[in-house]
Amino acid sequence: MKVNLSKIANNKKITPIEEQVLEYIINNIDSVMDLGIRGGAAENYTSKSTIMRI
């Protein structure tokens, strides 16, 4: 599902990977708290710092 992230990102420029991570968080809101930063990074094949930046 494609999500309109303009309200979440406050019209800031976000990279494609940041957009992917935000969509992942929104689509998996019930489980992301259990995953934590490391788990979220692993699930999205990105770094922990990308998750923190978002």
Side-chain angles (χ1 to χ4, degrees), residues 4-47:
N4 183 351
L5 301 173
S6 62
K7 289 184 180 181
I8 295 170
N10 284 332
N11 296 320
K12 293 186 168 105
K13 300 289 183 187
I14 59 173
T15 66
I17 191 68
E18 291 170 337
E19 183 176 340
Q20 174 188 324
V21 171
L22 281 171
E23 286 184 10
Y24 176 82
I25 291 169
I26 291 167
N27 291 330
N28 298 285
I29 196 71
D30 294 330
S31 62
V32 291
M33 292 301 288
D34 293 331
L35 282 176
I37 293 169
R38 288 183 187 154
E43 287 289 320
N44 287 282
Y45 305 101
T46 191
S47 66

